[in-house]
Amino acid sequence: MTQDIYLTGITTTGTPHIGNYVGAIRPCIEASKDKSKQNYYFLADFHALAKAEDPERIARSSLEISAAWLALGLDTDNAVFYRQSDIPEIPQLTWILTRMTAKGLMNRAHSYKAQVQANVEKYSQDPDKGINMALYSYPILMAADILMFKSTKVPVGRDQKQHVEMTRDIAQRFNHHYGDILVIPEAVIGDDTAVLAGLDGRKMSKSYDNTIPLFADEKQLRKLIMKIKTNSIEPGEPKDINDSTLYDIYKAFAQPDEVREIEKRYEDGIAWGEMKQVLFEYINEHIKPARAEYQRYIDDPAEVERVLVKGAEKAREVSVPYLDQIRHAVGIRKLG
Ligand code: TRP
C-alpha cells in the first residue's frame, strides 16, 4: 500500500474562530509538521463563491484564513498550502466529473435538500428559489478537489461526510468507464469532543453568529467571553462541568493538570464571573504571540500571496500531468 495522502479544504466565507481552531486548524497544523505524512490544505474560494455573493468578504476571508494558518505555524515546506482558484486543472476536472455524475445523486445532497425543504416551508410555489447551479453541483467541485491530488484520506466535519461518499461514487463510476485512474478516498471524521459550543450554547458557527474570532483583540475577546451563556447557579454552589461552555473552551486550550485544577474549582463553587476572567486570561496568553504574527501577515498581504503562489506551483507538479492523463483517457487529445 502506498503512503496516505491527506487533503482538506477551507471555504473562504468567514473569519477563523476558536471553534475552527480547535476542530480543524490546530490538528492540521500539527499534522503539517509530520514529515512522514503528505498533506494538502487549500482555500476553497470557488466553493465560497457558491455560497456568498459579497466579493470583499471572499477576498478578506482568504487573507484572514491564510494569515491565521501561517501565524499558527503551518509548515509550508512540508505540507502543500494553496488556493483552489490557482489550480486551473480543478475546474477542468470538475467538468469531466460532471459528465460522470448522475443528476439523481446531486438531488440527494443534504445541503441542497435542506434548502428545498426551507423553500417548501416558506414559498411553496418555487422549491428551487435562491438555489444556483454552483450550489447544486458543489459536491462535484469538491470531488475534483479531492481526486485531483490522489488523496486517500479527507479530514472533514460530520456535515461533509456525504460529500466524500459522493466523491467515491463519482470516482468509481469514472474508473468503471475509463480504467483505474482515480484514487478512491475515505473521509476521516474528527471526534465530537473537538466541536466547541459558541456564545449561546449552540455549536460555534458563523451561521449562528455566536463565534469568538481567534484573533479578536484583547478588549473584544474579553467582551465576548463575558457574554458566554451560563446557568443561574450562585457563587459558592458546586457547578457541573458537563454542562458548561466555559469549561469546554478552557479544556480545549489548557493542559490536563490545569483542567483538573479547574474541575476542583467548579466543585468548590467558583463564581461564573470569576471563571470567565480565568478563561479570558488563559486564552489571551495562549493566543498573544500568534496574534502579533497574524497582524504582521494581515499588514503584508503580498507576503501571503507569495506563499500561496509557491504552494500552487508545488500543487501543479501533481495536477498538470495527472489532468493530462485524465483528459487523454476521456478522449480530449492532441490530434498529432
Ligand atoms: N465543503 C467543505 C466545507 O464546507 C470545504 C471543502 C471544499 C473541502 N473542498 C474540499 C473539504 C475538499 C475537504 C476536501 O467545509
Side-chain angles (χ1 to χ4, degrees):
M1 184 55 205
T2 47
Q3 196 198 15
D4 274 324
I5 297 173
Y6 288 77
L7 175 143
T8 199
I10 318 110
T11 310
T12 55
T13 45
T15 296
H17 57 68
I18 64 172
N20 299 141
Y21 174 65
V22 169
I25 306 175
R26 188 169 60 186
C28 286
I29 286 179
E30 273 316 301
S32 79
K33 296 174 185 157
D34 182 344
K35 298 266 186 288
S36 73
K37 286 212 177 87
Q38 226 182 319
N39 289 297
Y40 289 83
Y41 303 118
F42 68 96
L43 303 168
D45 52 352
F46 280 145
H47 277 103
L49 198 53
K51 292 184 174 176
E53 280 175 12
D54 179 1
E56 298 314 315
R57 178 158 167 208
I58 295 174
R60 177 75 192 173
S61 172
S62 300
L63 175 61
E64 288 180 351
I65 293 171
S66 311
W69 285 58
L70 296 174
L72 291 160
L74 180 73
D75 184 342
T76 53
D77 291 327
N78 194 38
V80 188
F81 184 57
Y82 58 100
R83 183 168 45 197
Q84 183 185 38
S85 60
D86 284 340
I87 315 294
E89 294 72 33
I90 292 175
Q92 292 193 50
L93 180 57
T94 303
W95 183 251
I96 292 171
L97 297 176
T98 300
R99 166 63 183 88
M100 300 317 292
T101 305
K103 178 171 176 287
L105 185 69
M106 294 299 97
N107 289 342
R108 288 196 289 278
H110 298 317
S111 48
Y112 166 70
K113 275 172 49 182
Q115 286 244 22
V116 171
Q117 183 61 28
N119 281 337
V120 168
E121 281 162 19
K122 276 193 252 158
Y123 327 85
S124 44
Q125 335 67 327
D126 183 6
D128 282 329
K129 189 177 169 84
I131 299 173
N132 60 60
M133 285 304 292
L135 195 67
Y136 185 67
S137 40
Y138 184 104
I140 314 178
L141 177 58
M142 185 156 157
D145 291 332
I146 294 169
L147 298 170
M148 190 80 265
F149 296 99
K150 308 180 192 185
S151 46
T152 55
K153 304 274 186 200
V154 185
V156 281
R158 204 166 289 285
D159 63 323
Q160 297 293 317
K161 183 163 189 250
Q162 189 197 31
H163 292 151
V164 182
E165 298 297 327
M166 289 176 159
T167 301
R168 292 167 60 90
D169 260 34
I170 296 167
Q172 270 153 356
R173 189 151 160 188
F174 181 99
N175 284 354
H176 183 75
H177 264 75
Y178 297 115
D180 217 2
I181 294 175
L182 301 177
V183 175
I184 312 298
E186 225 173 76
V188 181
I189 307 296
D191 62 276
D192 273 345
T193 54
V195 174
L196 281 191
L199 301 178
D200 56 0
R202 290 187 293 174
K203 177 185 167 195
M204 188 179 292
S205 159
K206 61 189 174 232
S207 38
Y208 294 147
D209 199 20
N210 65 355
T211 68
I212 300 176
L214 183 55
F215 294 118
D217 64 31
E218 256 182 61
K219 213 171 126 208
Q220 195 196 0
L221 181 65
R222 177 195 296 273
K223 202 170 127 201
L224 289 172
I225 288 178
M226 294 302 151
K227 273 201 202 163
I228 294 173
K229 199 171 144 218
T230 54
N231 58 28
S232 55
I233 297 176
E234 298 285 331
E237 302 272 335
K239 300 189 167 53
D240 187 359
I241 56 166
N242 294 312
D243 176 28
S244 168
T245 302
L246 292 171
Y247 172 81
D248 291 340
I249 298 178
Y250 187 83
K251 189 170 178 215
F253 282 86
Q255 301 300 318
D257 56 325
E258 296 165 324
V259 176
R260 276 194 298 278
E261 176 62 23
I262 281 296
E263 288 172 0
K264 219 179 130 286
R265 294 186 69 185
Y266 266 64
E267 273 171 41
D268 294 344
I270 186 173
W272 289 130
E274 195 181 341
M275 182 57 203
K276 286 179 173 180
Q277 185 62 29
V278 168
L279 181 64
F280 162 69
E281 277 164 19
Y282 199 95
I283 295 190
N284 192 43
E285 280 309 305
H286 187 90
I287 292 296
K288 216 180 232 169
R291 188 195 280 140
E293 266 303 274
Y294 175 76
Q295 200 52 51
R296 200 179 65 71
Y297 281 115
I298 292 287
D299 295 339
D300 188 4
E303 166 68 15
V304 178
E305 183 64 28
R306 271 192 295 277
V307 173
L308 290 174
V309 166
K310 255 180 73 186
E313 281 167 10
K314 259 192 351 192
R316 294 191 72 205
E317 285 169 20
V318 175
S319 63
V320 169
Y322 194 34
L323 184 73
D324 262 355
Q325 186 192 348
I326 294 167
R327 285 168 57 126
H328 190 270
V330 302
I332 308 289
R333 299 175 191 164
K334 296 257 186 294
L335 297 180

